[in-house]
Amino acid sequence: MDAKRQHKAPARQSPDRDRRRWPREGQPHNEAAPPLVPALEPLSFSTLELAPEDQFAAWQAHMAPLVEVKLPDDKSLGDGFPADHTAWNLGGMLIAQQRAAAHSYVRSAAKLRSSSIDHWNIVLPHTGRSWTEVDRRVSESQPGKLEIRSLGYPFRGRATESESLLLYLPRDLFADAAATLDAKNNSILSGNFANLMVGYVNSIEARLRSLTADDLPRIVHATRSMIIACLGPPAEHAAAADQLASVALMERARRYVHQNLDAARLTPDSMCRALGVSRSRLYQLFEPSGGVLHYIQSRRLLAAHIALSDPADSRRIVEIAEAFGFSSAANFSRAFSKEFGYSPREGRSTVVFPRPAHSVSHAEHEKAPSFEGWLKALGS
């Protein structure tokens, strides 16, 4: 169905005709697949709701498991310390989105002796800069460049007002490449693989709220392979480099599908032309996802479900179906029911979004899961 027909179709249909096209509610469904449920619940902390004079002390307490933080010499407690920190637990990896005012930080030898946390920390600054010293060698970060640091070694540094994405991965995950990582401690990653990884990490951040349980172990494994490929010589890590290239291509393909869900002609051929790959390569890429056509339809169904469950979206069901490439209301209803286990009309009242992140007060902090608890459990 071309774009012109898609635009005019709703105008030619009367409400009665629309109702006749849809199956009656209450019809039985055959072995419906469970809905794709987001797996991650964010753990958020913020100083923004506190009095300015209490903000920095709250941030010190929150960061205490990792580092001791101090205000710059020209700042006082009364100036306030606006900061927030949202963590996501992927099981084998933690991801944290962090915004903070200027400060200095120290992970001392005394801290290490009292801490069991020795993970690898990958930092991707979005804004701001930092300078970190390990063994008298200073690494200067900059936006868009990955830096790698071990929490098993002492370090100190300072940061301007900044916004960053941080990954925490257990040391045991890299047992077979420990020497390679140790040699790159407190360094900025560079090269083509590092640039590819920046795009991949940004894409993970954009999808944190929609990742499913099946996605998580694959993301951890792919991230591990990417880090090794960034650090090691290609001859030693050819398999990791190949996987990095495949992951990057798959991410481009997924982004193309996501951006063209409402296109009249989203097909394998159009994807091959856009990505510059052969049909056999495209089919190989999507084989673990049940095939490229299955993947396109499942993404369209999920997008349609999100639109149906959005109270602000007043479009009729048939209009939403057509907007996401379904030319037949009956076909859409059958596919939707098979994917989610209920009809599109029932989907109107079924919310698929995860609960939004919320700030954790000091009183709630003791009852809720803690970032420190997540850090200590990582890799166990």
Side-chain angles (χ1 to χ4, degrees), residues 225-267:
S225 297
M226 286 183 166
I227 293 171
I228 292 175
C230 289
L231 298 176
E236 295 182 16
H237 302 290
D242 288 343
Q243 181 174 9
L244 176 58
S246 293
V247 169
L249 179 58
M250 185 63 181
E251 180 53 36
R252 285 177 57 210
R254 286 174 173 164
R255 189 181 301 117
Y256 179 83
V257 171
H258 179 75
Q259 292 172 347
N260 292 276
L261 286 175
D262 58 351
R265 297 189 180 277
L266 175 58
T267 65

Side-chain angles (χ1 to χ4, degrees), residues 66 87 108 118 299 339:
L66 292 174
S108 64
D118 63 353
R299 295 300 97 183
E339 183 78 11

Side-chain angles (χ1 to χ4, degrees), residues 51-68:
E53 61 271 19
D54 296 329
Q55 290 178 346
F56 186 68
W59 186 251
Q60 280 183 310
H62 186 69
M63 299 304 296
L66 292 174
V67 291
E68 301 166 14

Side-chain angles (χ1 to χ4, degrees), residues 47-58 71 76-82:
T47 67
L48 301 181
E49 297 178 0
L50 302 175
E53 61 271 19
D54 296 329
Q55 290 178 346
F56 186 68
L71 288 172
S76 66
L77 293 178
D79 294 325
F81 192 86

Side-chain angles (χ1 to χ4, degrees), residues 77-127:
L77 293 178
D79 294 325
F81 192 86
D84 54 63
H85 184 274
T86 301
W88 308 78
N89 192 343
L90 281 69
M93 174 173 70
L94 303 184
I95 296 179
Q97 298 161 298
Q98 177 177 303
R99 289 186 296 176
H103 64 283
S104 62
Y105 49 88
V106 176
R107 185 164 176 83
S108 64
K111 171 77 72 177
L112 290 177
R113 287 193 293 270
S114 63
S115 173
S116 61
I117 298 170
D118 63 353
H119 311 315
W120 285 102
N121 181 204
I122 307 294
V123 183
L124 176 59
H126 293 321
T127 64

